[in-house]
């Protein structure tokens, strides 16, 4: 029995020694646990001292643990505006992995702040709860101490288009901090330049969380049409300049739009367009169409034809200025307008009128040079009444509307003008997929603009093909909806005579500063990307610049080659009050009559430095260092080929232990018995 035990132990020893020779390597799955990586994002113009970094690291390690790897990254530039800095911050957040701590101020307000919060909540870091925020003044106290209580104007909103004689509403948004349950009386005053519009005294009730966020509606009535800059001021011991003031621009137009519709016909396209114009709300339509021509639709009964003389001398004489827009549908100008009436039409467009040419075979047959100046084509297009043409939006930035562009792709026409050679000033909005012919063009003509549809049946073209399959009905409905979208856009074009010409960018505000090289805009209007934009004062001084797109915030700004102060003389350059300057944005810098000026308050740079109050809602719902968090370490599975003894070193140890035990038995304990 003892010999059997000894032999068994020796066999196990040999087995353990030979296993590494038989299986020298083995695949092993390991968990690779590393330190948690944490990225600190801070403004690039922030000069960290050693104590500041130590303070940040201590705050982070106290919140997480000492087992953490901290990296510092910067965002923005010293020359940037706040909105550019926060755009760069969003880009950095998208690039980084691991936990992210944002160290920043919250000096962003109004529409820009809303867009930033919305974009921030779409990032993966926010959704995965990897995002934290530390107010900058917790690390580096500001030189100018801010009061514990304050109220400021975050934004002012007025509908972009307001109507003369009809009440409009200005919404003034206030934010701030104050003691809980405190009652604060504030007077809000609205004015345009030196013209008083309205005022309202309101009372704020501060909630338990000490944060103020409330909006107030104030009715206003406009006494004149055109571009107006509306400024809101608040008067309260807790409100300080320049954040106690905010401005926005608005276009005031007539409440009723009067259109003149002239046509040669009738045909079904004419009847369709006239019917749709007739029943459009807030639209007064005066429609004249000429008795039938040779190529007119002979199926229309005589009882439906106009039997009165076409009053060209009245319509294109003293009455012409009463129309906000003119629709010329398949109209032969030379036949029905005299030389004087033709000149009046051209002057009407030059002075800001809007002309819509709904083209037909007669539209471009005029011999008058003044009338030809309104045509978008250098030649006379040919008409194709047999082939079907499908439209496609042209690659242009003239129209910044994706729904409009998608709708253009669904238009089908059967009466189409082809081979148009556009004038250099004409902008091609759409072409045909077959032959790449220009089909929809917009052409600025001094103050006015001419819109031309080089197809006679774009409103009815989609119904001229027979339905073969049942599912084609859905396609027809889609095309009908697209046609309706284009028609709605056309009506807006015709209603905007007071805002005629290529639409200039809308300055966003809410505050402009003299020493800045860029301004925020609500939209760039009809000015294409890459085109030079001018900021022009009523003193005929100008700055040139170009639009810059901010992808994350989905907005645009204009960057100038010099600060605004280079063309503006401030009255009070060393205090916090603003100077009202009559300014306009546009693509033309020579002809002031084309531009639409507004009275914008300009603040000196000393006032810019007083934008020291945080927006307490800027990083809303982003985690702060308020409760202890467990360290989230990176845990990744790794499979690699390793030596067997490295993977299982106990095999050799066990063999040596068995050898020692075997020697003990044979040489000491059972020496005499074996």
């Amino acid at each position: 029995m003892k010999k059997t035990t000894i032999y068994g132990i020796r066999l196990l020893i040999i087995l353990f020694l030979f296993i590494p020779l038989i299986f020298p390597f083995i695949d092993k799955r390991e968990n690779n646990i590393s330190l948690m990586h944490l990225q600190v994002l801070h403004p690039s113009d922030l000069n960290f001292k050693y104590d500041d970094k130590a303070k940040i690291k201590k705050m982070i390690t106290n919140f997480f643990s000492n087992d953490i790897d901290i990296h510092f990254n910067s965002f923005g530039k010293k020359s940037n505006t706040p909105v550019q800095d926060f755009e760069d911050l969003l880009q950095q957040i998208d690039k980084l992995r691991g936990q992210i701590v944002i160290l920043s101020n919250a000096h962003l307000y109004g529409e820009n702040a809303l867009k930033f919060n919305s974009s921030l909540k779409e990032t993966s870091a926010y959704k995965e709860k990897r995002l934290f925020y530390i107010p900058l003044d917790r690390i580096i106290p500001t030189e100018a101490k801010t009061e514990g209580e304050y109220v400021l104007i975050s934004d002012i909103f007025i509908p972009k288009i307001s109507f003369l004689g009809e009440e409009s509403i200005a919404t003034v948004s206030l934010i701030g901090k104050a003691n809980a349950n405190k009652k604060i009386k504030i007077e809000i005053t609205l004015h345009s330049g030196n013209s008083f519009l309205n005022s309202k005294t309101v009372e704020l009730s501060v909630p338990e969380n000490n944060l103020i966020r409330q909006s107030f509606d104030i009715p206003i009535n406009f006494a004149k049409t055109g571009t107006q800059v509306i400024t809101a001021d608040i008067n309260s011991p807790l409100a300080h300049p320049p954040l106690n003031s905010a401005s926005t621009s608005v276009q005031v137009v007539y409440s009723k739009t009067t259109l003149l519709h002239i046509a040669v016909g009738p045909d079904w396209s004419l009847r369709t367009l006239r019917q749709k114009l007739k029943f459009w709300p807030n639209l007064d339509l005066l429609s004249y169409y000429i008795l039938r021509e040779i190529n007119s639709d002979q199926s229309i009964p005589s009882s439906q034809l106009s039997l009165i003389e076409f009053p060209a001398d009245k319509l294109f004489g003293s009455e012409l200025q009463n129309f906000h827009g003119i629709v010329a549908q398949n109209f032969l100008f030379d036949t029905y307008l005299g030389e004087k009436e033709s000149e009046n039409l051209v002057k009407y467009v030059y002075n800001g009128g809007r002309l819509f040419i709904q083209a037909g075979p007669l539209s471009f047959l005029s011999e008058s040079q003044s009338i030809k100046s309104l045509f978008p084509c250098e030649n006379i297009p040919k008409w194709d009444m047999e082939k079907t043409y499908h439209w496609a939006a042209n690659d242009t930035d003239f129209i910044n509307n994706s729904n409009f562009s998608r709708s253009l792709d669904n238009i089908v026409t059967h009466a189409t003008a082809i081979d148009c050679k556009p004038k250099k000033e004409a902008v091609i909005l759409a072409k045909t997929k077959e032959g790449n012919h220009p089909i929809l063009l917009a052409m600025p003509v001094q103050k006015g603009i001419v819109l031309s549809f080089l197809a006679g049946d774009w409103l009815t073209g989609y119904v001229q093909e027979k339905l073969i399959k049942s599912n084609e009905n859905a396609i027809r409905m889609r095309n009908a909806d697209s046609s309706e979208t284009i028609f709605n856009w056309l009506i807006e074009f015709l209603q905007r005579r007071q805002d005629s010409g290529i639409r200039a960018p809308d300055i966003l505000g809410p505050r402009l500063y003299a020493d800045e090289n860029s301004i925020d805009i609500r939209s760039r209007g009809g000015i294409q990307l890459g085109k030079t934009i001018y900021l022009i004062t009523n003193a005929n001084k100008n700055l040139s610049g170009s639009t810059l797109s901010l992808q994350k915030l989905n907005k645009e700004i204009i960057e100038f080659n010099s600060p605004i102060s280079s063309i503006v003389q401030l009255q009070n350059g060393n205090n916090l009050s603003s100077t009202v300057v009559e300014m306009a944005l546009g693509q033309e810098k020579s002809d002031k009559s084309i531009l639409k000026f507004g009275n914008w308050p300009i603040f000196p740079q000393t006032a810019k430095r007083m934008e020291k109050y945080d927006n307490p809602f800027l990083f809303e719902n982003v985690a702060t260092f308020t409760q202890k968090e467990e360290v989230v370490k990176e845990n990744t599975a790794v499979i690699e080929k390793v030596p067997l003894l490295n993977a299982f070193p106990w095999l050799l140890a066990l063999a040596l232990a068995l050898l020692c035990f075997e020697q003990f038995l044979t040489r000491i304990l059972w020496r005499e018995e074996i």
Side-chain angles (χ1 to χ4, degrees):
M1 180 63 184
K2 293 179 180 180
K3 288 185 178 182
T4 304
T5 302
I6 295 298
Y7 292 145
I9 293 173
R10 290 175 177 174
L11 183 61
L12 286 175
I13 293 171
I14 294 172
L15 180 63
F16 285 140
L17 291 176
F18 275 89
I19 285 179
L21 298 177
I22 300 172
F23 304 103
F25 296 97
I26 188 173
D27 291 336
K28 185 180 180 182
R29 180 185 180 92
E30 293 183 346
N31 286 329
N32 180 22
I33 300 178
S34 62
L35 290 177
M36 184 187 74
H37 294 286
L38 188 142
Q39 311 289 341
V40 177
L41 287 170
H42 61 85
S44 61
D45 58 348
L46 194 62
N47 294 320
F48 272 130
K49 298 179 181 178
Y50 176 81
D51 292 342
D52 296 330
K53 284 194 174 184
K55 187 176 181 180
I56 295 172
K57 290 181 178 180
K58 183 178 179 181
M59 184 181 296
I60 292 172
T61 54
N62 288 343
F63 184 71
F64 292 103
S65 74
N66 292 322
D67 191 15
I68 193 168
D69 185 17
I70 301 175
H71 299 272
F72 287 86
N73 301 273
S74 63
F75 67 89
K77 296 179 181 178
K78 188 174 182 179
S79 59
N80 280 357
T81 59
V83 69
Q84 290 175 288
D85 282 341
F86 284 99
E87 164 78 8
D88 190 49
L89 173 59
L90 290 171
Q91 293 178 348
Q92 294 280 10
I93 291 173
D94 276 348
K95 294 177 183 177
L96 298 177
R97 295 294 177 263
Q99 308 292 323
I100 300 174
V101 174
I102 302 171
L103 178 64
S104 172
N105 58 45
H107 301 165
L108 195 67
Y109 316 98
E111 182 179 322
N112 289 335
L114 295 176
K115 286 187 174 182
F116 173 78
N117 279 345
S118 177
S119 300
L120 187 66
K121 292 176 181 178
E122 292 299 318
T123 61
S124 59
Y126 178 85
K127 294 177 180 178
E128 296 168 5
K129 298 182 179 180
R130 297 186 288 108
L131 204 58
F132 300 87
Y133 169 61
I134 303 177
L136 186 59
D137 56 10
R138 286 182 59 184
I139 305 299
I140 305 176
T142 56
E143 295 179 2
K145 292 287 184 181
T146 60
E147 294 83 353
E149 297 183 311
Y150 62 89
V151 177
L152 59 88
I153 300 181
S154 176
D155 199 13
I156 174 175
F157 172 78
I158 304 174
K160 178 60 185 171
I161 301 295
S162 294
F163 296 101
L164 182 68
E166 295 184 9
E167 185 176 88
S168 189
I169 299 295
T171 302
V172 180
S173 301
L174 306 180
I175 60 174
K177 291 181 180 180
N179 295 329
N181 303 317
K182 186 174 183 177
K183 303 290 185 181
I184 305 173
K185 281 192 174 181
I186 296 177
E187 182 183 15
I188 305 175
T189 304
L190 296 178
H191 59 92
S192 177
N194 296 322
S195 301
F196 172 81
L197 295 176
N198 202 356
S199 67
K200 184 177 184 179
T201 300
V202 299
E203 185 176 77
L204 289 174
S205 296
V206 184
E208 292 292 336
N209 63 0
N210 304 104
L211 301 182
I212 300 170
R213 178 164 58 180
Q214 200 163 346
S215 298
F216 298 95
D217 293 337
I218 304 174
I220 50 178
N221 287 279
F222 296 102
K224 62 179 181 179
T225 60
T227 302
Q228 297 189 41
V229 177
I230 310 303
T231 300
D233 296 323
I234 58 174
N235 184 17
S236 168
L238 302 183
H240 308 282
L243 297 179
N244 64 340
S245 179
S247 303
T248 188
S249 63
V250 62
Q251 296 293 331
V252 183
V253 299
Y254 294 104
S255 58
K256 278 282 188 179
T257 301
T258 303
L259 293 184
L260 173 62
H261 177 217
I262 54 177
V264 172
D267 58 21
W268 289 111
S269 295
L270 184 154
R271 290 159 64 92
T272 300
L273 183 58
R274 180 180 181 275
Q275 196 76 358
K276 293 177 75 65
L277 291 171
K278 180 179 179 181
F279 291 102
W280 192 266
N282 292 330
L283 195 66
D284 287 337
L285 179 67
L286 186 60
S287 181
Y288 286 89
Y289 50 90
I290 310 303
L291 292 174
R292 71 180 73 190
E293 297 283 326
I294 296 175
N295 61 346
S296 297
D297 189 342
Q298 301 300 319
S299 65
I300 307 299
S302 298
S303 60
Q304 296 186 24
L305 299 178
S306 172
L307 299 178
I308 64 173
E309 181 182 0
F310 181 64
D313 55 340
K314 291 184 178 180
L315 294 178
F316 293 89
S318 59
E319 300 294 327
L320 186 58
Q321 295 303 319
N322 295 330
F323 299 111
H324 299 109
I326 298 175
V327 179
Q329 186 171 8
N330 191 30
F331 191 78
L332 185 55
F333 294 91
D334 285 5
T335 302
Y336 304 107
L337 300 184
E339 183 177 350
K340 182 179 179 181
E341 289 80 16
S342 296
E343 291 296 332
N344 289 341
L345 173 61
V346 173
K347 290 179 181 178
Y348 167 83
V349 178
Y350 283 3
N351 290 326
R354 294 207 160 187
L355 175 62
F356 166 47
I357 299 177
Q358 173 57 70
L362 304 177
S363 295
F364 302 113
L365 299 181
S366 176
E367 296 295 333
S368 168
Q369 293 302 316
S370 57
I371 291 293
K372 282 186 175 182
S373 68
L374 303 179
F375 294 162
C377 305
E378 295 179 348
N379 61 330
I380 299 176
K382 301 175 184 178
W383 280 85
D384 189 341
M385 301 293 188
E386 298 179 358
K387 296 181 181 178
T388 299
Y389 290 88
H390 297 80
W391 293 18
N394 193 31
D395 186 16
T396 175
D397 294 305
F398 184 85
I399 299 296
N400 190 16
N401 187 324
S402 57
N403 186 37
F404 176 82
S405 299
R406 287 194 300 269
S407 298
L408 286 174
D409 293 337
N410 298 324
I411 303 298
V412 179
T413 53
H414 301 265
T416 310
I418 61 174
D419 297 333
C420 167
K421 297 180 180 179
K423 295 179 179 178
K424 62 179 182 180
E425 61 269 27
V427 180
I428 303 173
L429 304 183
K431 294 183 177 182
T432 62
K433 295 179 182 177
E434 298 82 5
N436 209 33
H437 302 289
I439 197 72
L440 173 57
L441 302 98
M443 186 177 72
V445 184
Q446 293 192 14
K447 289 184 182 179
I449 191 168
V450 178
L451 184 69
S452 302
F453 280 72
L454 303 190
D457 62 339
W458 61 275
L459 278 170
T460 57
Y462 56 86
V463 299
Q464 297 182 24
E465 296 177 344
K466 293 182 179 180
L467 297 181
I468 300 175
K469 300 178 181 178
S470 58
N471 62 348
E472 291 179 347
N473 188 51
I475 298 176
R476 176 167 291 183
M477 292 177 64
R478 179 203 64 190
N479 294 351
D481 290 341
S482 298
S483 178
E484 196 67 24
T485 299
I486 304 301
F487 180 77
N488 295 346
W489 175 81
L490 168 64
I491 294 298
E492 181 185 356
F493 165 83
L494 291 169
Q495 286 181 323
R496 296 178 64 91
R497 180 188 170 191
Q498 298 84 9
D499 188 27
S500 294
I502 297 293
R503 291 177 59 186
D506 299 325
I507 298 177
L508 178 62
R511 287 163 285 272
L512 301 182
Y513 295 97
D515 289 349
E516 291 190 345
N517 289 53
S518 60
I519 59 174
D520 293 353
I521 56 175
R522 183 176 289 107
S523 70
R524 57 182 158 80
I527 296 180
Q528 301 179 56
L529 283 174
K531 296 289 185 179
T532 302
I533 297 176
Y534 294 92
L535 177 67
I536 306 169
T537 68
N538 60 341
N540 216 22
K541 296 181 179 180
N542 63 78
L543 279 179
S544 63
S546 58
T547 53
L548 174 67
S549 295
L550 304 180
Q551 300 299 326
K552 293 296 181 181
L553 292 175
N554 190 27
K555 64 166 298 165
E556 292 162 336
I557 63 174
I558 298 178
E559 286 191 325
F560 298 108
N561 53 17
S562 300
I564 299 175
S565 58
S566 63
I567 61 170
V568 171
Q569 184 65 40
L570 298 185
Q571 298 174 357
N572 303 295
N574 296 321
N575 59 28
L576 303 181
S577 60
S578 62
T579 300
V580 176
V581 180
E582 197 172 357
M583 301 189 309
L585 285 172
Q587 207 166 353
E588 301 289 337
K589 66 174 181 178
S590 56
D591 189 355
K592 286 177 57 177
S593 63
I594 296 177
L595 304 170
K596 300 169 181 62
F597 288 89
N599 294 308
W600 281 96
I602 307 295
F603 289 92
Q605 197 62 20
T606 52
K608 175 65 176 178
R609 290 193 287 270
M610 297 305 293
E611 277 200 1
K612 57 186 179 180
Y613 298 96
D614 281 344
N615 179 351
F617 304 97
L618 185 60
F619 291 92
E620 193 173 28
N621 298 326
V622 177
T624 55
F625 290 174
T626 56
Q627 61 182 6
K628 191 73 175 176
E629 281 251 337
E630 292 294 330
V631 176
V632 180
K633 297 182 179 180
E634 296 181 4
N635 192 333
T636 56
V638 178
I639 299 176
E640 58 180 344
K641 191 178 290 293
V642 297
L644 181 65
L645 291 180
N646 287 357
F648 305 104
W650 54 267
L651 287 174
L652 185 58
L654 183 58
L656 292 174
L658 289 174
L659 179 60
C660 293
F661 183 61
E662 183 269 340
Q663 290 296 310
F664 171 74
L665 292 179
T666 56
R667 295 182 181 273
I668 299 174
L669 188 61
W670 296 339
R671 179 178 180 180
E672 297 180 354
E673 300 179 19
I674 299 178

